[in-house]
Amino acid sequence: MPALIFDVDGTLAETEKDGHRIAFNRAFAASGVDWRWSVALYGELLKVTGGKERLAHYLDRYQPDFCPKQGVEAFIAALHAAKTAHYAEVVNGGALQPRSGVERLLKAARSADWPLALSTTTTCSNIDALLAAGFGGVSADWFRVIAAGDMVANKKPAPDIYNLACHGLGTKAEQCLAIEDSRNGLLSANGAGIATVITVSEYTADEDFSEAALVLSSLGDRDEPAVILNNPGGLPPFERFGLDQVTQILN
Ligand code: XBP
Ligand code: MG
């Protein structure tokens, strides 16, 4: 029985530019620092996964003389906690909805009793906020395993989070398929021995996905058919990525 393991940010929904980035900027303003992450700068910073790690990278690279009285580590922890609270406000009320084809594929897998999991660098509280706010018809309890954030020491592109998800499902890696949006996610899933389908997102269209089993514009729906961007396995043409395509990739 195949299992599908979904990434969250950029894959379930376009949460980065209009979600996390806004939350970071609101947290900066509330903490009294005059930093603002533009769409372009955030795209560069996104190469570092994990909000706390991204913040540390930003301080090193752009604010080397910043010396908060409580120390940098404590500042980052407090700022990130505030950002997470702002993120819940930003996504509240269903501001961000599932990407094309996500709900359709999840429902098809559930109808076939295929196990589902999430494997993400973000936090469980951000997942709860995103899914609780009326995220299409998707519910957090559809996912047998939610592998997230600090549950592992090494975040994507390390394979730890996908190993955790796969182990939690009790499914062999070769029977799992990862749905991702970024190179960091691709390297993480492949590092765990899991084949990966990429649905490029707002920030990742130009990344290198040469190791992916398939690269798509999205999973596709009636109103937004999937565009096949790279098909190294030679799958027959389709407009909506479904269970047939999963089994073609895994078999
Ligand atoms: C994307 C990430 C996360 C988010 C911000 O995760 O790298 O860090 O950008 O969320 P993925 P946090 O694509 O693996 O879902 O601030 O909670 O880290
Ligand atoms: Mg992602």
Side-chain angles (χ1 to χ4, degrees):
M1 174 88 69
L4 298 182
I5 308 178
F6 281 77
D7 165 53
V8 174
D9 294 305
T11 301
L12 283 191
E14 287 284 14
T15 55
E16 293 291 0
K17 175 166 73 72
D18 298 328
H20 292 294
R21 183 182 69 91
I22 304 299
F24 274 111
N25 285 336
R26 288 185 186 176
F28 295 151
S31 74
V33 292
D34 64 349
W35 312 331
R36 185 187 166 281
W37 288 356
S38 67
V39 172
L41 174 59
Y42 192 64
E44 177 205 314
L45 298 174
L46 262 179
K47 299 289 183 282
V48 177
T49 63
K52 295 191 290 292
E53 295 81 355
R54 188 169 306 138
L55 211 37
H57 166 73
Y58 170 75
L59 294 180
D60 280 347
R61 174 97 169 64
Y62 292 96
Q63 307 291 342
D65 303 329
F66 179 66
C67 297
K69 59 185 182 308
Q70 71 272 45
V72 171
E73 202 168 326
F75 171 84
I76 288 174
L79 195 293
H80 191 253
K83 174 263 174 182
T84 299
H86 282 291
Y87 182 77
E89 288 166 12
V90 170
V91 301
N92 188 29
L96 299 178
Q97 285 300 299
R99 288 190 60 186
S100 172
V102 165
E103 187 167 353
R104 173 186 57 73
L105 183 60
L106 286 169
K107 284 179 173 173
R110 279 169 54 79
S111 302
D113 284 333
W114 288 10
L116 295 169
L118 293 178
S119 172
T120 174
T121 309
T122 194
T123 57
C124 285
S125 55
N126 284 344
I127 296 168
D128 291 344
L130 180 69
L131 299 188
F135 189 68
V138 181
S139 163
D141 62 20
W142 289 9
F143 302 96
R144 194 174 296 180
V145 173
I146 295 182
D150 292 332
M151 290 180 191
V152 291
N154 309 302
K155 294 186 167 108
K156 298 176 185 177
D160 304 37
I161 199 74
Y162 273 99
N163 283 325
L164 182 65
C166 198
H167 180 75
L169 289 170
T171 304
K172 289 192 175 63
E174 50 272 20
Q175 276 303 301
C176 292
L177 185 68
I179 317 285
E180 267 282 353
D181 75 305
S182 70
R183 179 162 182 76
N184 281 325
L186 168 61
L187 294 176
S188 178
N190 281 14
I194 298 169
T196 307
V197 172
I198 293 290
T199 52
V200 297
S201 62
E202 286 171 321
Y203 278 116
T204 68
D206 298 332
E207 291 188 2
D208 173 7
F209 297 122
S210 40
E211 304 89 337
L214 186 65
V215 183
L216 303 172
S217 59
S218 74
L219 292 172
D221 253 335
R222 214 164 292 289
D223 55 353
E224 182 189 326
V227 176
I228 299 175
L229 302 173
N230 194 26
N231 181 11
L235 268 63
F238 60 89
E239 291 191 345
R240 286 185 292 281
F241 182 86
L243 305 192
D244 288 349
Q245 284 69 40
V246 176
T247 45
Q248 287 164 13
I249 290 172
L250 295 183
N251 293 340

